[in-house]
Amino acid sequence: MADTATTPAQPKGATGVVVLADGTAIWGMGFGAVGDAVGEICFNTAMTGYQEVMTDPSYAAQIVTFTFPHIGNVGTNAEDVESAVEGAVGCITREVVTPSSSFRSEQEFGDWLAAHGKIGLSGVDTRALTRRIRMSGAPNAVIAHSPDGKFDVAALAKRAAEWSGLEGMDLAQRVSREKEEGWEGGSWTLGSGYARSPRDERPHVVAVDYGAKDNIFRNLVKAGAKVTVLPAKSSLEDIMAHQPDGVFLSNGPGDPAATGAYAVPVIKTLLERDMPLFGICLGHQMLALATGAQTTKMHQGHRGANHPVKRLDDGVVEITSMNHGFAVDGDTLPDSVEATHISLFDGSNCGIAVKGKQAFGVQYHPEASPGPQDSFYLFEKFVGMLG
């Protein structure tokens, strides 16, 4: 796919389009919700878990291009939702969604998208679009679905071009819980669903929700903690009022530097008080910011379920799930911080530990279990710090 702007004539029967900020129009068949939505186009290479991807708050303000061609083939169900708040605004697929073929399916993928206000576009050469993103970076775009096939492409291009983009954008407040919650969900088993977590005399973790995936909390429970979830803008006093044994910093969308404007001062004080800390993804990035490191916008990001990450202390390689468009700049880590993990794809930082503190973070998602259990030790490590 060329990098120059192209506006090919609308193919007969096309009911969907994605229009890039440079005016390029990519046509296909719309499904899901009717309307349009603006966001950054990224790509995800996972072969499974499309519903989890679409409900991950870390994908807020993003349009996901699925590189695996058969999306929607197992339908959707209530158990595989990662969060009830905003996730991806839309998705792009190669093949038209076919009827589901899974005994767990409760609703067809297209119907589920429509019910949740998310737009789909099928019939796209996703390999070419992914190649474009790899060459030129993740573009801003508008995805649109109109059953009558009527679109104002120029207006859509203008909207995409005028959108500010993710850099400098704080999205955590938009997707965070508004009230504190005593987490009650436990592990899932087939036929029984999610168990209830015991609220006994376990170590108490306060989890700050910057756009968390629910399965993170379930894994903290599985590792032996009880969890209280607080909103993103919770103050130090809000956190300490719960007398936590440790504080978890969640994943989330947007620019970590923007969210860090209010989150980093709290994290700095927690570090000064020697509070045990564990951060995942955005939480990892803001932990790094609190130590004086910097973050950077990535060219294309890392999104998929097969990313190899090397542990630097013993050389073990974990197969990880990733979803991030920003990263910690490893060259800016201060002497007080040790790099613990790196990506074997591009050498970028994937983990840190603060020297002399019980504080660490990882860039990837251990709760997603692509290994499948390569990374569960991180939850056990954190809970083990809490006594």
Side-chain angles (χ1 to χ4, degrees), residues 176-253:
S176 173
R177 283 166 173 77
E178 296 181 356
K179 299 178 180 179
E180 71 175 65
E181 175 185 347
W183 182 256
E184 296 184 348
S187 298
W188 178 88
T189 55
L190 182 63
S192 300
Y194 293 107
R196 291 179 65 86
S197 62
R199 302 288 292 178
D200 53 18
E201 296 303 315
R202 295 172 164 219
H204 186 197
V205 172
V206 165
V208 185
D209 176 16
Y210 303 112
K213 296 170 66 178
D214 289 349
N215 208 40
I216 290 175
F217 306 142
R218 299 183 191 112
N219 275 267
L220 286 169
V221 169
K222 182 179 178 181
K226 67 177 179 181
V227 180
T228 300
V229 188
L230 298 186
K233 290 202 73 174
S234 296
S235 66
L236 177 69
E237 291 73 24
D238 294 332
I239 293 171
M240 297 307 297
H242 291 273
Q243 299 181 311
D245 297 303
V247 175
F248 173 76
L249 310 172
S250 87
N251 65 292

Side-chain angles (χ1 to χ4, degrees), residues 290-366:
T291 68
Q294 298 177 15
T295 55
T296 183
K297 180 78 162 63
M298 302 177 76
H299 177 70
Q300 66 186 42
H302 287 168
R303 299 174 181 89
N306 63 341
H307 286 250
V309 167
K310 182 179 180 180
R311 290 201 309 244
L312 297 179
D313 61 347
D314 59 9
V316 168
V317 175
E318 302 171 39
I319 301 301
T320 73
S321 177
M322 289 193 178
N323 168 24
H324 59 102
F326 293 82
V328 173
D329 184 346
D331 292 334
T332 68
L333 291 176
D335 292 339
S336 61
V337 177
E338 175 187 9
T340 59
H341 301 70
I342 60 168
S343 166
L344 291 184
F345 279 161
D346 61 9
S348 59
N349 177 270
C350 288
I352 61 169
V354 183
K355 298 175 182 177
K357 305 286 184 180
Q358 295 185 96
F360 67 99
V362 292
Q363 184 61 75
Y364 52 96
H365 284 268

Side-chain angles (χ1 to χ4, degrees), residues 58 61 107-108 157 170 206 215 238 243 269 283 285-286 317 359 366 371:
S58 293
Q107 190 175 26
E108 299 297 335
D170 170 34
V206 165
N215 208 40
D238 294 332
Q243 299 181 311
T269 306
Q285 295 161 2
M286 290 193 298
V317 175

